[in-house]
Amino acid sequence: MTETAPLRALALVCSLKPSPAPSSSELMARQVLEALEEHGVTGDLVRVVDHAVHPGVEVDMGDGDAWPGIRDRLMAADILLLSTPTWVGHMSSVAQRVLERLDAELSERDEQGRPRVFGKVGAVAVVGNEDGAHKISADVMQAFSDVGFTVPAQAATYWNGEAMQGVDYLDLDETPEAVASTTATLAANAAHLARLLEATPYPPVG
């Protein structure tokens, strides 16, 4: 299949650190976006903590809620990447809030009865100095599937530092080969699947 169809990706960085603080989660997200560019996918990035995303499970939680604006950018994208640090073995609270807000998509339908995120691809990136990347990836990918995203093969890339040490992904002199290879595979598979879904959408529901 040729790679001529224009595709867009949105990376939601779920660091607990507001900009402009350096963020390992943002670094990895940018690396995924760069890998996607090699497959004709243009990317955008949002550090979620910089925005007043209110708690809740509705599309719009009212006055001052920044999620509707972020959601507009998500709806304009074909691929969603959620990038999160690991804290006490779990995704960040910011990432959890994003998944809670995505729950609203279960009731948002297109004219053919399909959830509006049908046809969009979901992927995940995880960094941290402690174990938890596989559990976080599993939780995020299950949540993506629940609300209607499609998850490609090997849709997670991650890095875990040595246990009980203080080295961050940002501190590395170079990206480990295993991480770079996994990121490249994620990007290739996500772009391929997004093009397939664009060419052959899911059937109507109901």
Side-chain angles (χ1 to χ4, degrees):
M1 177 176 291
T2 60
E3 297 185 354
T4 57
L7 294 177
R8 291 196 56 81
L10 176 68
L12 296 183
V13 176
C14 297
S15 172
L16 298 181
K17 303 172 184 175
S19 299
S23 164
S24 291
S25 298
E26 180 165 328
L27 173 60
M28 182 167 277
R30 291 192 181 280
Q31 290 174 340
V32 173
L33 292 178
E34 288 171 3
L36 284 166
E37 286 180 3
E38 297 178 13
H39 300 277
V41 182
T42 59
D44 195 9
L45 183 147
V46 175
R47 196 183 297 200
V48 179
V49 76
D50 292 341
H51 306 270
V53 175
H54 292 181
V57 291
E58 303 294 336
V59 167
D60 189 339
M61 294 305 298
D63 188 37
D65 183 20
W67 180 252
I70 295 173
R71 181 178 179 271
D72 286 345
R73 296 165 76 171
L74 186 160
M75 288 299 170
D78 303 285
I79 299 168
L80 174 63
L81 174 74
L82 188 146
S83 183
T84 178
T86 305
W87 287 111
V88 292
H90 301 277
M91 71 182 81
S92 72
S93 58
V94 178
Q96 181 64 40
R97 179 161 297 183
V98 167
L99 296 184
E100 290 163 354
R101 296 306 301 269
L102 286 174
D103 186 75
E105 302 309 323
L106 286 168
S107 58
E108 296 295 313
R109 304 281 170 154
D110 66 14
E111 64 278 1
Q112 293 184 302
R114 299 169 296 200
R116 290 193 60 199
V117 296
F118 265 31
K120 297 186 185 299
V121 170
V124 58
V126 185
V127 294
N129 299 315
E130 55 186 286
D131 195 12
H134 277 181
K135 175 63 163 58
I136 292 168
S137 298
D139 288 347
V140 172
M141 288 190 285
Q142 181 63 57
F144 279 167
S145 179
D146 283 348
V147 300
F149 288 88
T150 302
V151 178
Q154 298 185 346
T157 187
Y158 68 92
W159 176 84
N160 283 132
E162 185 179 354
M164 303 179 73
Q165 299 298 313
V167 177
D168 288 335
Y169 190 61
L170 278 170
D171 300 328
L172 302 181
D173 293 331
E174 60 183 6
T175 302
E177 175 56 33
V179 176
S181 175
T182 302
T183 296
T185 300
L186 181 160
N189 290 351
H192 176 71
L193 180 57
R195 285 196 170 86
L196 290 176
L197 290 172
E198 183 178 57
T200 310
Y202 286 110
V205 175

